[in-house]
Amino acid sequence: MKNLLQFFLLFCCSAISGLSISAQQLTNAKKADSVLSLMTLEEKIGQMNQYNDDWLATGPVTIDTDKASQVRKGQVGSLLNCLGTQRVRKWQEIAMQSRLKIPLLFGQDVIHGFITTFPIPLAEACSWDLDAIELSARIAANEASASGINWTFAPMVDIARDPRWGRVMEGAGEDTYLGSKIAFARVKGFQGKKIGNLDAVMACAKHFAGYGAAVGGRDYNSVDMSYRQLWEVYLPPFKATVDAGVATFMNAFNDLNGIPATGNQYLQRDILKGKWGFNGFVVSDWGSIGEMINHGNVGNEYEAAKAAVTAGCDMDMESRNYKNNLATLVADKKVPLNLIDDAVKRILQKKFELGLFDDPYRFCNADREQAALNNPEHARIARQVAAKSIVLLKNNGRLLPLSKETRTIAFIGPLVKPLKQNKGFWDVEVPGVDSNFIVSQWEGLVNKVGKQTALLYAKGCDIEGNDRSGFAEAVSVARQSDVVVVSIGERRDMSGEAKSRSNISIPGVQEELVKELLATGKPVVVLINAGRPLVFNYIADNAPAILYTWWLGSEAGNAIADVLFGDYNPSAKLVMSFPHSVGQVPIYYNHFNTGRPATSDSNHNYNSSYNDLSIYPKYEFGYGLSYTDFEYSNLRFSSNTMKQGDQITVSVTVKNTGKYGGEEIVQLYIRDLVASVVRPVNELKDFKKLALKAGESRELNFVIDREKLSFFSPDPLDGTQMNWIAEPGDFDIMVGASSKDIRLKGRISLLY
Ligand code: NOJ
C-alpha cells in the first residue's frame, strides 16, 4: 500500500512537472482504479461532494467557513460558480495540498455562451440550424475552458409544453425529434473532438427526468406521467446526449410519479446506467438530495443520502448530505462500499479524461484566457446565430425589410437602449473581465443606418408598471417619422429558473403603447423580446410587422438591424406553440386526435375544445415567415409500400418564388393512422434547412425507414420498460412549412 501510494504521488508530481511516465498508457478506468485503491472512505466521499464557491450562488446557500480546509483534506471533489483562471488556480493549489492531490472539477452554468453571449437556447433552437447550434456551444466551451472551467451544466434537454414554466427559455422547445437533434449537437459542441482537449468542457444533460412537465408549469413542481409519455416524449433527447458521448447527467428537482428524480433508481440505475450503458457520472441538482425530505419521500438526511446513492446519484451538489451521512451509512451496512466505489470511479475517470491528473492547472492559462475572451470572431458568429434565431411572425404589405434610404425612423420602447437585458437569464461574469460587451438595439440601428437616416428615440414606458406619462413623447416622435420600430417584452429575468408566471401577457402598459403608436397611422414594426412564448393578441391582430427577437445575446442590436434591413432574411421557425391565451396551456402540435376531435372554431358541439377559445394556437410549432416565398411541389415516393427492413425515399421540390434569397426549413411530418395505441395527429420526423436564391428551385429527399414509423410499446414482461416497434399499416406523409401549413400530403403502407 505504501509503495502504491508512493507510486501514485510520484505519478502526480512527475506529471505535473511535465515528465512523461508509463502510467499514462493505462486506460483511464485502470488509472481510476489505481487511485481508488489508495483512498480512504472519507476521501472517496469527498470526491462525491460538490460545493458552491463563495461569491456567486445559483441556489440557496449554506454558509461554510472552512471550505478551504475541507478541500485541503480531500473532502471536496468539485466546485461550481468559481470563475476566472486566477481563482480556479487558487482552489486547485489548495486541492494539490491534499494527501492524494486529486484535482477538483470546476462546474459552471455555461448555458448560452460564456463572455460572448449567444441567444437563449429556446431562441437558438428556432434556427433549426444544427451546425450553428453546435458552433455556439463550441465557442462557449472554448471561452469557458480558457477561463478555468472544465464542466458545463448544459445542455438542458427537457421537453417543455407549458410557457408558464420559466425554464422553457433554456431548452429546445416542445418537440422530441428536434429536441433530440439539438441535444446531440449541443453536446458535440461543448465536448468538441474529445474531452481532454484544451478547448472542450464536459457537458451535462439535465434535468433527468421529466422536469419540463412540472404540474401547472410551476418550477420544482411534481411530475406525473405515463411510462409511454416518459419514453416517447421526454426521454429521447436524453438518450441522444448519451449517443453523443455526454460526460455527465444531472438529475432533477421534481418527483416523477411519486419518486423524487434524485432518488429514482428506475431513471438513474435501470435506464441511464443500465439500459443505455451510460459510463459518466450523475450529479444532483442544487440541494436536491436534501430536498427529498421536503418531498416527504425520506424522513431525514441519512435516508436522503441512502436513497440518492442507491438510486445512482454520484455527486451531491451543495446539500452536504453525502458528506454528513455516507460514512455512517457504510458503517451501518445500509450502503455497500461498491456503490461508493462505483460513483468515485466514474468521477475519477472523468478527471483523468480531462487530463487534470497530468496537469491540474491546464485550464488556467491567463494568456489563453485573455485571448479567448477577447476574440472578435466569437462576436461575429454570435451575430450570425442571433440573426438566425429571430422569428418573423407577421409582415403585412411586406413592410419589412426596411429600406436603408428611410429618412426618419422612430425607435421606441423600454428595450431599445438597455444593454444587459439582451443577455437573457444565464450570464456569466468573470472578475476583471468586461462581460458587458453588448450591442444594444439602439446601437445596432445606429451602426446600420447611413447619415441620411435620422433616428429618433423615446422610451414610451417601462417594462412593468402603469406609468403612461411617456406615451405623449413616444407618439410625437412617431408622428415625425416615416417608420416606427417599437421594442417591448419581458425583463430578461422574468423567464429562467424559478421564474414561472401565471400571466404570460406582455407586462405593464407596453401593449397600450403599441396601440397608441398604431393609432398614429404610421407603419409600425414590433420587436418582442422574451424568454418564452407570450400572449399579445392585440399586437398580433393589428400591427403590420412583428419580429420575435427573444433574448439574442451580446450581438442582439446588430442582429436585429441585420434582419430589419434585410441583410439577413429571417429563416427561424417557432419550436413552441404560442397560445391565444394562458387558458389553452398546455398546447402542443403533436396531440392525439381524441374520440371527439374538434375540427373548426365554429363548432364546439360536444367535441374536445373550449367553448370560449380557439382550438388552434396563435402561432403553431414550425411557423415562421421569410421576406421571400417558397413553393412546394412534386411530392413523390420511391414506392408506396415498404417491408420492415426497407426504405422509401420521399422527394419534393421547393422553389424560391420571391425577390430575395432566403432559407426555408422544410418539415416532414408523419401520422400513423391506426395502431395498437393512439398516435399523434402528426409528428415531426425530419427536416431540412436549405438556402435558395430568388427564383431557384431544388429537389429534396427524405428517407423513411422503419425507425421513422416506430413508437414505444410496453415490454410484455415489464410494463415499465418500452420497446421501439413499427406496426404494419398506413401512414400519412406530410411535407410543409409548419406543423399546420402542410403543403403536400401522400400515403404509404408498411407491409406485414
Ligand atoms: C439549479 C438548476 O436547476 C440547475 O440547472 C443548475 O445547473 C444548478 N442550479 C447550478 O447552478
Side-chain angles (χ1 to χ4, degrees), residues 543-661:
I546 306 168
L547 289 167
Y548 214 78
T549 52
W550 308 102
W551 298 121
L552 295 171
S554 321
E555 288 288 320
N558 284 333
I560 288 172
D562 287 343
V563 168
L564 280 174
F565 291 92
D567 289 332
Y568 182 77
N569 183 355
S571 62
K573 304 231 184 200
L574 298 176
V575 295
M576 272 190 88
S577 308
F578 275 46
H580 276 275
S581 95
V582 82
Q584 282 183 317
V585 170
I587 185 163
Y588 48 92
Y589 83 94
N590 47 356
H591 56 83
F592 293 151
N593 200 39
T594 79
R596 294 190 179 187
T599 50
S600 89
D601 275 342
S602 53
N603 176 9
H604 294 293
N605 201 15
Y606 291 99
N607 61 27
S608 179
S609 62
Y610 294 110
N611 285 359
D612 56 349
L613 265 177
S614 169
I615 60 169
Y616 305 108
K618 190 77 188 171
Y619 300 107
E620 73 275 8
F621 173 85
Y623 173 82
L625 302 174
S626 162
Y627 296 153
T628 191
D629 297 306
F630 297 98
E631 188 186 88
Y632 290 51
S633 64
N634 207 11
L635 180 71
R636 277 161 300 127
F637 301 144
S638 58
S639 164
N640 286 86
T641 56
M642 64 183 257
K643 299 207 196 78
Q644 293 270 354
D646 294 348
Q647 294 183 337
I648 291 178
T649 303
V650 176
S651 309
V652 58
T653 304
V654 181
K655 180 171 185 191
N656 179 346
T657 56
K659 286 198 300 211
Y660 299 92

Side-chain angles (χ1 to χ4, degrees), residues 119 123-127 384-391 548-550 552 572:
E124 202 184 62
C126 292
S127 72
Q384 284 177 357
V385 178
K388 283 170 189 262
S389 306
I390 298 173
V391 188
Y548 214 78
T549 52
W550 308 102
L552 295 171

Side-chain angles (χ1 to χ4, degrees), residues 11 29 57 79 109 115 122 175 261 315 328 388 393 399 465 469 486 504 539-540 543 560 568 570 586 610 710 719 746:
F11 162 63
L79 291 177
D109 291 292
I115 294 300
L122 183 64
D175 184 64
M315 187 181 276
T328 324
K388 283 170 189 262
L393 292 181
L399 173 55
S469 61
V486 54
I504 54 170
I539 291 173
I560 288 172
Y568 182 77
Y610 294 110
S710 298

Side-chain angles (χ1 to χ4, degrees), residues 355-410:
L356 290 171
F357 279 101
D358 294 335
D359 176 3
Y361 307 109
R362 61 196 305 259
F363 298 103
C364 297
N365 177 332
D367 292 339
R368 192 188 145 219
E369 179 178 39
Q370 180 65 17
L373 303 190
N374 291 287
N375 186 338
E377 179 64 4
H378 295 180
R380 194 183 64 78
I381 293 166
R383 178 175 182 163
Q384 284 177 357
V385 178
K388 283 170 189 262
S389 306
I390 298 173
V391 188
L392 177 63
L393 292 181
K394 192 172 177 189
N395 196 18
N396 276 12
R398 301 207 186 261
L399 173 55
L400 292 173
L402 300 178
S403 158
K404 287 181 187 154
E405 319 287 290
T406 310
R407 293 263 287 284
T408 310
I409 300 173

